[in-house]
Amino acid sequence: MYGRSDETWDQLASAGLKFLVERAQLRKVTTYTEMNSVLARRTGLPGFDFEQADERAAMGHLLGLIVKRDYPESRLMISALVHYLDANDAGPGFYTLAQQLDLLPKGSSATAKLEFWIGQVNSLHDLHTRSKLSGRSGLS
């Protein structure tokens, strides 16, 4: 998929989940650009070229993989912590996945989407701050 092997996707998803948990423990969010840089540095794999539409889609695919890996335990969408540079909101793929997971009704208003996203970010921060304080990594 997107010119990457299953092993590469697995490595990127593991590194991405670890990074996002770390951000949540610090009560922070991140950008696609920062996440891309961190993944390239931590895995040694080439980063995503956001100038290319298929590479932007590949990052969205990766975030979906990360959510699917984490959601059964956390019941939250950890990709909520990733937003566009100079923006304060998740990307459209976040809301599409939320609808696929039946967490957000189809046709939700912009306000409902924003409230859902803020709720996810706050809940992720709370969950992972507690897990850090209790000595658990927050990763399964």
Side-chain angles (χ1 to χ4, degrees), residues 2-139:
Y2 298 104
R4 293 169 176 87
S5 68
D6 289 343
E7 295 80 21
T8 297
W9 284 117
D10 187 56
Q11 189 177 359
L12 289 167
S14 293
L17 179 56
K18 184 174 191 289
F19 173 64
L20 292 177
V21 167
E22 291 166 2
R23 299 307 293 170
Q25 289 173 333
L26 295 170
R27 302 189 75 79
K28 303 234 182 233
V29 293
T30 190
T31 64
Y32 288 95
T33 303
E34 180 183 32
M35 182 159 181
N36 191 32
S37 296
V38 168
L39 288 173
R41 187 175 67 250
R42 290 186 180 184
T43 65
L45 296 167
F48 295 91
D49 177 3
F50 294 143
E51 297 296 317
Q52 307 295 323
D54 63 330
E55 289 286 290
R56 291 190 301 273
M59 175 60 89
H61 174 74
L62 173 61
L63 290 172
L65 292 174
I66 292 169
V67 168
K68 288 175 183 166
R69 183 176 286 205
D70 183 63
Y71 184 79
E73 183 177 331
S74 72
R75 308 306 289 171
L76 297 166
M77 293 181 64
I78 198 158
S79 65
L81 300 177
V82 184
H83 59 88
Y84 294 113
L85 197 61
D86 300 325
N88 193 22
D89 193 3
F94 170 80
Y95 298 110
T96 300
L97 183 55
Q99 291 170 346
Q100 290 170 356
L101 293 171
D102 290 327
L103 300 173
L104 183 68
K106 290 182 179 16
S108 292
S109 68
T111 300
K113 289 178 178 179
L114 188 60
E115 288 173 354
F116 172 75
W117 173 68
I118 291 168
Q120 290 288 299
V121 170
N122 288 336
S123 295
L124 286 157
H125 287 167
D126 291 345
L127 172 69
H128 291 292
T129 300
R130 281 194 314 272
S131 68
K132 184 178 179 184
L133 292 174
S134 69
R136 293 189 314 267
S137 69
L139 295 175

